[in-house]
Amino acid sequence: MDGQQNEEHATGDGQSPAAGRRRRWTARRGEPRSGWFRALRLAGIMLAVAAVTVTGVVLGVLGGGRVDTDIGPFQATLTLTPTTDGGTTVDVPPLGALLLNSHDGPTRLTVRLGALDQGRTEALIDDPASIQRASQSAVEDVRSGVMRLGLRTVGAAVLATLLLAALVFRDVRRTAWAGGLALLVTVGSLGAAAASVRPQAIEEPRYEGLLVNAPAIVGDARRIANDYTRYAEQLQRLVGNVSQLYTTVSALPVLEPAPDTTRVLHVSDMHLNPTGWQLIRTVVEQFDIDVVIDTGDITDWGSEPEASFVGSIGLLRKPYVFIRGNHDSNRTAAAVARQPNAIVLDNTTTTVAGLTIAGIGDPRFTPDKNTSPAGSGLTKQVAEQVIGVGEQLASTVRSSPRPVNIALVHDPASAGPLSGACPLVLAGHTHARQVSKLPQQPGQMPTQLMVEGSTGGAGLRGLEGEKPTPLSMSVLYFDNKDKLLQAYDDITVGGTGQAQVSLERHVIQDPKAGDPVPVTPTPTR
């Protein structure tokens, strides 16, 4: 009995030696298995941390990887998104996208150009010397925006990962591991992209979207870019010469309009060229214009971003009568109508500055192939549409309780039915100035057709020919008694890259017959 107690005491835990031996044998057998499970458990934790990190980084990049910035006169949004092939997308709604193979790595940069900031655009035009500075600062704008985007993306990715890890693990150490790994992954990805940047990629762009003629356009891209470089270099001289329009008046045959003469400025086909607004403001102020008439195509695609372009109408502080062109959507017309001094006509009439004006919008919306299936081609369907609106407007003019002094159509092909309905029809569309008489109807008044060139130099398409399209507009003088055209000044500013301004005055010898007497143009260089 005493021996047994001593034996139990020797075990130190009240167990028999046999039980102790079994426990030690079991412990030795369990040691390898416990180490294997610990390794598996550690691997599982590492995989979980990695999964949470990747998820947090992706959520952080998608949620916070964007900044709004100004690039020159544009309001732009820069965005980073995870990808496998890198690259940069320059999104220019509604024209489409420009794709650049700018870098490798797991991130794609998207630059979305929004609306033009009206104030900055006008500042560039008012101070042409600042265009060169703006072109240089644009690079710094992009660099600064990308740096802010990178820092914001890193911060958003790490923060999102820390929050997700804290919710999943509820463990400080594992959360810290996930945050550190997120920082390493994000910085490494951005660093890999930065290290592989290829600046020459901009020379080999790829277009997608509404630029359906991309193969031809890409071929002309460099030439157009060069023309715009010349444009920037010459813009100061060009706009400076606009001021010399005032001095050309003194060299013209004297026209002594009565004090109550009504002065109308006819513009057309601006096509988003902001230079046209400076020219319009100059002429409105110096020629004491009473009303501005716009025969359409103020935009190119009729999209929402383009709607901000019409904001300069309100700055003119003169009545602005507008009809839609085939490049203007109903949205464009609505944006014009919101301007405090604007009047949009669509088979309607208005009386402004003593003149009764009737107008109708173009029946086509060329950018939308659903509403303009025939495009701008002269098919039978298009001819019927264009002539049809002329007939509608002629009916409106003839039924007007007040005699109509001026009728407005966008396409001169719509003017035919208006012969004899009113003395003057104004149009645009062709980007080429032309004055002619419509075939006179027996027993009816003669009707003169005046087609304006492009006040915006035809926009981008004005650079596609061998010679840039000039900016043109006309000042029309009407007498107060009969409201007939007495004289008109054709103003032409040399196209993009040129620096010449000319004003050509035409005096109507017999206003009732509408016969103009041309005067030799006076150029200014």
Side-chain angles (χ1 to χ4, degrees):
M1 178 71 69
D2 292 340
Q4 183 178 356
Q5 290 176 346
N6 291 337
E7 199 171 302
E8 290 176 355
H9 182 267
T11 64
D13 56 1
Q15 294 182 353
S16 67
R21 285 192 298 272
R22 286 195 300 273
R23 181 177 60 80
R24 288 192 295 273
W25 180 80
T26 303
R28 286 194 301 270
R29 290 275 314 265
E31 282 176 2
R33 179 170 297 185
S34 176
W36 183 65
F37 277 119
R38 280 199 299 270
L40 283 178
R41 184 168 179 273
L42 181 60
I45 292 173
M46 293 176 64
L47 287 174
V49 169
V52 168
T53 298
V54 171
T55 304
V57 167
V58 171
L59 292 176
V61 171
L62 293 178
R66 58 178 295 160
V67 295
D68 294 324
T69 188
D70 294 331
I71 300 178
F74 286 97
Q75 299 168 355
T77 300
L78 307 184
T79 308
L80 279 178
T81 52
T83 186
T84 58
D85 55 359
T88 298
T89 300
V90 182
D91 193 6
V92 190
L95 301 179
L98 176 65
L99 308 181
L100 305 175
N101 186 22
S102 59
H103 63 274
D104 300 322
T107 55
R108 170 168 288 273
L109 172 64
T110 299
V111 181
R112 181 180 178 86
L113 298 180
L116 282 169
D117 183 273
Q118 198 66 38
R120 290 197 300 275
T121 303
E122 291 172 357
L124 290 178
I125 300 304
D126 290 335
D127 180 16
S130 66
I131 287 190
Q132 183 65 25
R133 295 194 300 271
S135 64
Q136 295 172 353
S137 66
V139 177
E140 183 58 35
D141 292 341
V142 174
R143 182 182 294 111
S144 174
V146 170
M147 289 295 295
R148 289 194 295 115
L149 176 63
L151 293 175
R152 181 183 177 92
T153 301
V154 170
V158 172
L159 179 60
T161 301
L162 289 174
L163 292 175
L164 183 61
L167 290 174
V168 172
F169 297 124
R170 301 182 183 276
D171 181 273
V172 175
R173 186 170 59 179
R174 295 176 187 174
T175 300
W177 287 351
L181 184 58
L183 178 63
L184 181 63
V185 169
T186 310
V187 172
S189 299
L190 296 180
S196 62
V197 167
R198 292 180 289 272
Q200 69 276 15
I202 196 170
E203 298 178 1
E204 299 177 348
R206 180 164 61 92
Y207 290 93
E208 287 186 354
L210 294 180
L211 294 176
V212 294
N213 296 320
I217 294 173
V218 170
D220 290 338
R222 183 172 299 175
R223 178 177 56 78
I224 291 177
N226 290 338
D227 286 340
Y228 260 111
T229 300
R230 290 168 49 218
Y231 183 32
E233 294 171 351
Q234 296 292 335
L235 186 57
Q236 184 173 11
R237 291 175 59 197
L238 186 148
V239 176
N241 274 301
V242 172
S243 63
Q244 296 186 36
L245 282 170
Y246 322 147
T247 63
T248 65
V249 177
S250 61
L252 292 171
V254 176
L255 173 66
E256 296 291 347
D260 54 0
T261 294
T262 302
R263 297 169 174 85
V264 175
L265 177 61
H266 180 202
V267 302
S268 192
D269 297 83
M270 288 276 285
H271 287 292
L272 293 177
N273 189 346
T275 308
W277 287 124
Q278 173 64 18
L279 185 59
I280 290 173
R281 288 202 302 272
T282 297
V283 175
V284 165
E285 293 170 3
Q286 297 301 318
F287 286 74
D288 195 21
I289 297 299
D290 296 297
V291 56
V292 180
I293 290 177
D294 187 337
T295 46
D297 275 3
I298 196 170
T299 60
D300 260 335
W301 299 90
S303 65
E304 184 64 33
E306 293 174 292
S308 64
F309 180 75
V310 308
S312 291
I313 291 175
L315 301 178
L316 299 176
R317 304 185 184 281
K318 298 289 183 180
Y320 194 96
V321 181
F322 174 81
I323 60 169
R324 280 187 307 103
N326 60 294
H327 283 265
D328 301 318
S329 64
N330 290 326
R331 182 181 297 174
T332 303
V336 173
R338 287 194 293 269
Q339 302 304 309
N341 57 325
I343 302 168
V344 178
L345 298 179
D346 195 6
N347 202 24
T348 52
T349 63
T350 187
T351 299
V352 184
L355 296 171
T356 300
I357 306 169
I360 191 169
D362 197 278
R364 303 157 293 180
F365 179 47
T366 305
D368 185 353
K369 300 306 179 185
N370 291 323
T371 59
S372 182
S376 58
L378 188 58
T379 64
K380 180 181 178 182
Q381 179 184 1
V382 170
E384 291 175 350
Q385 288 179 321
V386 172
I387 296 173
V389 295
E391 293 171 346
Q392 294 177 44
L393 185 60
S395 177
T396 300
V397 169
R398 296 182 192 281
S399 62
S400 172
R402 301 186 60 170
V404 171
N405 308 118
I406 308 172
L408 312 179
V409 293
H410 177 65
D411 191 330
S414 301
L418 289 159
S419 178
C422 61
L424 179 63
V425 178
L426 302 182
H429 185 63
T430 63
H431 301 174
R433 184 181 282 137
Q434 182 181 4
V435 178
S436 62
K437 279 189 176 182
L438 294 176
Q440 188 169 355
Q441 303 297 322
Q444 296 187 2
M445 72 176 78
T447 299
Q448 185 157 299
L449 171 64
M450 301 184 70
V451 182
E452 190 55 74
S454 174
T455 308
L460 269 178
R461 62 183 55 80
L463 297 172
E464 294 174 353
E466 293 183 2
K467 294 183 178 180
T469 303
L471 283 64
S472 60
M473 59 183 64
S474 298
V475 178
L476 316 179
Y477 300 89
F478 293 84
D479 73 292
N480 186 51
K481 180 182 178 182
D482 298 321
K483 307 300 181 185
L484 293 175
L485 185 66
Q486 303 293 310
Y488 60 94
D489 295 334
D490 286 335
I491 299 172
T492 304
V493 179
T496 299
Q498 300 178 0
Q500 176 176 320
V501 179
S502 67
L503 188 152
E504 183 178 356
R505 173 159 296 164
H506 302 260
V507 179
I508 306 298
Q509 191 173 27
D510 182 0
K512 293 186 178 181
D515 294 324
V517 176
V519 177
T520 303
T522 301
T524 301
R525 293 186 179 276

